[in-house]
């Protein structure tokens, strides 16, 4: 059985695939390619626990309820951001301007905080009402307090209630989607 994080073929397999390892690998590849076609946004998630802050590129974000306004984010358990969201109980979801697509590569590893300049990896941030970082150049953001963490295997799906939201650029600013990049995550 493969480990969490996509290190090999993972079942279950439909009966038509059979028990052949080669067939299972081929099916797993097909399934990943199909799942990569699901439309998905690309975001920068802000997190904070105590004095520790981080921004992380992510795409597993969705609204899960209208009343109350709830947003869910899937975070890999081995990520620094997972610990910060679990311990701090807050997160921000920052949209990314399509013209700023290169910045998402700046947040694929833990970031460096400069408190004097109020930057993470050199990008200006400000604190939201919960203290979680908001990317200054984000077209918009939602800020959430965790209401329900759900264990989903190699990730935790943190469900947060929206406690603040704002546009920082024009509402019509085109935002980045996974398909606008050569990045892929999931499947």
């Amino acid at each position: 059985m493969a480990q969490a994080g996509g290190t090999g073929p993972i079942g279950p397999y439909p009966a038509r695939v059979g028990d052949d390892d080669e067939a299972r690998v081929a099916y797993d590849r097909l399934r990943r390619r199909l799942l990569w076609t699901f439309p998905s946004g690309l975001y920068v998630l802000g997190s904070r626990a105590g004095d520790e802050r981080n921004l992380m590129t992510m795409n597993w974000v969705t609204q899960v309820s209208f009343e109350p306004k709830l947003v869910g984010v899937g975070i890999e358990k081995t990520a620094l951001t997972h610990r910060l969201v679990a311990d701090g109980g807050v997160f921000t979801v920052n949209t990314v301007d399509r013209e700023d697509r290169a910045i998402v590569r700046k947040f694929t590893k833990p970031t460096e905080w400069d408190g004097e300049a109020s930057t993470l990896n050199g990008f200006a941030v400000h604190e939201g009402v919960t203290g979680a970082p908001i990317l200054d150049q984000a077209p918009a953001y939602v800020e959430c307090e965790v209401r329900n963490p759900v264990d989903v295997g190699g990730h935790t799906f943190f469900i947060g209630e929206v406690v603040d939201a704002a546009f920082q650029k024009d509402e019509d600013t085109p935002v980045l989607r996974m398909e606008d990049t050569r990045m892929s995550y999931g499947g």
Side-chain angles (χ1 to χ4, degrees), residues 10-70:
I10 298 173
Y13 302 98
R16 73 176 184 279
V17 173
D19 294 332
D20 179 325
D21 285 344
E22 193 173 308
R24 287 181 170 198
V25 167
Y27 172 78
D28 189 62
R29 286 183 183 141
L30 174 136
R31 183 179 47 197
R32 279 184 285 154
R33 288 192 319 273
L34 187 147
L35 290 170
W36 288 338
T37 67
F38 285 13
S40 182
L42 201 52
Y43 309 91
V44 174
L45 186 108
S47 57
R48 180 176 183 173
D51 291 335
E52 202 172 1
R53 299 162 178 81
N54 197 46
L55 292 175
M56 181 182 88
T57 299
M58 73 168 330
N59 74 317
W60 287 352
V61 175
T62 189
Q63 182 175 353
V64 296
S65 174
F66 297 128
E67 293 181 34
K69 302 288 189 232
L70 298 176

Side-chain angles (χ1 to χ4, degrees), residues 57 96-108 123 137 176 181 183:
T57 299
V96 177
D97 188 321
R98 224 178 257 167
E99 298 299 317
D100 290 339
R101 76 185 64 203
I103 71 165
V104 295
R105 298 227 182 257
K106 303 292 184 181
F107 305 117
T108 58
F123 290 88
Q137 70 190 71
L176 192 61
T181 71
M183 298 175 81

Side-chain angles (χ1 to χ4, degrees), residues 108-120:
T108 58
K109 296 193 183 331
T111 57
E112 187 175 316
W113 168 244
D114 180 341
E116 219 171 277
S118 193
T119 62
L120 285 162

Side-chain angles (χ1 to χ4, degrees), residues 83-151:
R83 180 176 55 78
L84 295 180
V85 172
D87 292 351
V90 298
F91 62 87
T92 61
V93 177
N94 300 268
T95 61
V96 177
D97 188 321
R98 224 178 257 167
E99 298 299 317
D100 290 339
R101 76 185 64 203
I103 71 165
V104 295
R105 298 227 182 257
K106 303 292 184 181
F107 305 117
T108 58
K109 296 193 183 331
T111 57
E112 187 175 316
W113 168 244
D114 180 341
E116 219 171 277
S118 193
T119 62
L120 285 162
N121 279 8
F123 290 88
V125 297
H126 62 278
E127 289 184 2
V129 297
T130 66
I134 296 167
L135 186 63
D136 286 358
Q137 70 190 71
Y141 68 88
V142 294
E143 186 169 7
C144 299
E145 293 179 349
V146 174
R147 297 295 185 243
N148 187 21
V150 180
D151 184 326

